[in-house]
Amino acid sequence: MLATSTPAFAASGTTLAFDRSSYSGEGCSTISGARVSATDNGSAKAGVAVTVSLPSDYAFDGGGTTHTGTTGSDGSLTLPDILLPGNSNTSTATATASGAAAATTSLIGSAAPEAVLVTDSGKVTASGVGTSATPLGGTLYLTSDKRVIDTGNNAAVVSTDVAAAGHIYVTTGNTWTIPLRKSDGSCVLGSAGSAERPAAGVPSGSTPVAGVLFHTSDKRIVSGDSGATVCSDVDTWGQMYFNGTDRFVPLKLTDGSFAYLQNDMVIAANSVPSGSTPAAARFWLSSDGRIVEFNGNVWANNVAAHGEIALNPGASFDSWQMPLRKNDGSNVLLVNYGSENATTGVPSGSTPLAHTLFLTSDNRIIDGSNGKVLSRGVTATGDYSQPFQDSSWAIPLTQDPATCGPS
């Protein structure tokens, strides 16, 4: 909301003013770029120490309700991002400086939505989803009335009467596919910008896996594109991963052995230790806490939990990170086949989500690469989605409006 600020005048000639008479935002979002300026008889005044105070239910990014800084050569001070509470409210922020009268501005927050997307460009409302929706993956949600909604495409309805969904599979641009099972047991494929289509050759009641794949009651992995049986005797599977050329899915077979899918080829993984659990791509988590590749290479030890593997933004080929929690509760980032990077600002015991993201025990999403808090009051998360060779990414979530604010 743009409006003209009314400055407060002081007898000394120093004047403080916010650049707007009011700032507005959605609950649990941020106000960015707010500025305070200092002038002396109409001319910009550098070097003025200004303190800005917020109401108790607001906060500056980084914590606290006060911020002190010094005006620059143009006489202005740009404030850190301001975090809004979840409730609808109107409050006042105040700027003070020695020898100057206080200046004020209004802070106007609307009620926070329940469904939001955390993206590379910030947190945005998941439009058209309503309440009690389930985040699926990318920009997709399953609504309370069983519709799959694509909030990234003007809330387009991907499918209706949906009982279960698998993992979204993204390749390039806005090209994605998600396997779905309807309430009547029939199976379909949802994809970007297209009407749902029947999953060819997939028996009623099958379990959606990822992309075009389904798991049948007789333990087969079937492609809903071709109707072909891709693999038989499959017990469990891990995360589908696209490295820029091929699609991989790790498997555990019913006899306890291991294999992986490379596109629609089944390749044995005989070097994976007995009792391991499929993790992602061509990796398994062994019973003794090792991340093991199909060929037996060990890339991490003492691992208690892992999140989704994901390409680095803009990566040209197979450049990825996977968030891990160790047995001692510490958190690290597994990077490109073996390097472990320490996380920043992630509390011990947090849950690894995807790429560099973690969910803390107090329901915050933190980017472990820089310690930035991306969301608060999180109640559920979906799958991370990022197109190949693209810097954009998204993860759908739901939040509690009562707790997603800064206080």
Side-chain angles (χ1 to χ4, degrees), residues 258-260 266-271 284 294-295:
F258 303 96
Y260 64 90
V266 183
I267 302 174
N270 296 325
S271 297
W284 287 257
F294 72 98
N295 53 14

Side-chain angles (χ1 to χ4, degrees), residues 60-98:
F60 287 107
D61 192 13
T65 57
T66 61
H67 174 76
T68 299
T70 303
T71 58
S73 58
D74 63 350
S76 72
L77 168 67
T78 299
L79 303 178
D81 286 352
I82 297 171
L83 309 179
L84 283 76
N87 62 306
S88 177
N89 71 92
T90 299
S91 301
T92 300
T94 303
T96 59
S98 178

Side-chain angles (χ1 to χ4, degrees), residues 217-286:
S217 60
D218 59 354
K219 305 295 185 182
R220 294 177 298 133
I221 295 289
V222 176
S223 168
D225 253 351
S226 65
T229 295
V230 179
C231 187
S232 298
D233 301 318
V234 176
D235 184 28
T236 57
W237 55 90
Q239 177 205 340
M240 181 181 284
Y241 168 72
F242 178 67
N243 71 352
T245 302
D246 297 302
R247 178 192 71 206
F248 299 98
V249 182
L251 306 173
K252 179 181 179 181
L253 304 182
T254 54
D255 64 0
S257 64
F258 303 96
Y260 64 90
L261 300 180
Q262 182 169 348
N263 302 316
D264 289 338
M265 294 187 299
V266 183
I267 302 174
N270 296 325
S271 297
V272 176
S274 177
S276 296
T277 302
R282 295 183 288 183
F283 299 103
W284 287 257
L285 177 62
S286 70

Side-chain angles (χ1 to χ4, degrees), residues 247-339:
R247 178 192 71 206
F248 299 98
V249 182
L251 306 173
K252 179 181 179 181
L253 304 182
T254 54
D255 64 0
S257 64
F258 303 96
Y260 64 90
L261 300 180
Q262 182 169 348
N263 302 316
D264 289 338
M265 294 187 299
V266 183
I267 302 174
N270 296 325
S271 297
V272 176
S274 177
S276 296
T277 302
R282 295 183 288 183
F283 299 103
W284 287 257
L285 177 62
S286 70
S287 59
D288 59 355
R290 294 174 293 152
I291 296 290
V292 182
E293 198 178 2
F294 72 98
N295 53 14
N297 288 340
V298 176
W299 298 115
N301 294 284
N302 303 314
V303 176
H306 65 86
E308 295 177 52
I309 189 172
L311 290 167
N312 291 312
S316 59
F317 178 77
D318 210 17
S319 173
W320 52 264
Q321 295 188 69
M322 178 193 285
L324 306 175
R325 184 179 73 241
K326 297 297 192 93
N327 290 329
D328 63 1
S330 62
N331 299 282
V332 299
L333 299 171
L334 178 61
V335 183
N336 286 349
Y337 301 100
S339 171

